[in-house]
Amino acid sequence: MAANEQNAEVPTAPKKVFVQRDYTHGTECKYETNYPVQLEGVIARETFTDTVNKINELFERAEELGCPTYTEGCLSCMTGYLLYFCIETKYSKEMKQISLFIQRQNDEIYHPRGVHIVEPMLRGLRCIELVVYPKPV
C-alpha cells in the first residue's frame, strides 16, 4: 500500500499571473504590456501583447468623453436617473464588448494552451489575471 502511495502523482495547482495597471499616464484604465516570464513557452509574446493592447484600446474607447456621453449624463440628471432603467449606458455597452473579446480570446487562443484570462471587471479593474493550468502528463 505504501508503494502505491509513493507512485501516486500529486496534482499541481494552477499558477496565477497578474498583469498590473499602468499608471504612467494617469488613472486611465490601461494595463502593462510587459511579457510575464511565467508565460514563456505557453503563449507567444506577440499574442499576449496584442491581447493586452486590444483590451487597453477597448477601455480607452469606453472612457472617451464626447457629445453622446455628456447628453446621456444631462438626460439622466433631468429624469432623476430614471433614464438608466430605459437605456444602457455607453460604458456598460463597452464593458460587454470587453467581456466578449476576452471570452473569444479564451476560446480561440488561450484555452487550447491551458491558460484562462479572468475578466478585469471581476478583479475591480486592478489587474488582468491569467490562470496557467499545468499540462497533463
Side-chain angles (χ1 to χ4, degrees):
M1 186 77 153
N4 288 342
E5 289 177 11
Q6 289 177 351
N7 292 337
E9 293 182 28
V10 178
T12 57
K15 289 187 275 182
K16 293 186 177 189
V17 180
F18 296 96
V19 178
Q20 300 298 325
R21 288 265 300 262
D22 180 5
Y23 291 103
T24 57
H25 300 290
T27 58
E28 65 187 26
C29 193
K30 185 175 182 179
Y31 297 95
E32 295 176 350
T33 56
N34 300 337
Y35 185 72
V37 295
Q38 297 93 333
L39 295 179
E40 283 289 336
V42 181
I43 297 291
R45 183 180 301 268
E46 297 80 28
T47 304
F48 171 79
T49 305
D50 290 344
T51 300
V52 175
N53 282 335
K54 181 66 175 177
I55 291 171
N56 286 339
E57 180 185 311
L58 290 170
F59 272 111
E60 184 178 328
R61 205 166 61 195
E63 294 177 349
E64 278 180 350
L65 296 177
C67 190
T69 308
Y70 290 119
T71 303
E72 181 183 286
C74 290
L75 287 174
S76 65
C77 188
M78 291 186 326
T79 61
Y81 297 95
L82 294 174
L83 178 70
Y84 292 134
F85 288 117
C86 304
I87 67 164
E88 189 175 20
T89 65
K90 176 185 179 286
Y91 190 78
S92 63
K93 288 178 190 175
E94 293 296 332
M95 290 297 113
K96 284 184 181 179
Q97 289 298 316
I98 294 169
S99 291
L100 288 172
F101 172 74
I102 291 173
Q103 183 179 5
R104 222 176 19 254
Q105 290 292 99
N106 276 332
D107 292 340
E108 296 172 5
I109 298 170
Y110 289 89
H111 284 170
R113 293 177 175 88
V115 179
H116 176 76
I117 302 175
V118 178
E119 293 181 23
M121 289 73 80
L122 298 176
R123 300 292 176 255
L125 301 178
R126 294 170 299 165
C127 61
I128 299 174
E129 179 182 339
L130 293 104
V131 182
V132 182
Y133 294 98
K135 294 180 181 176
V137 181

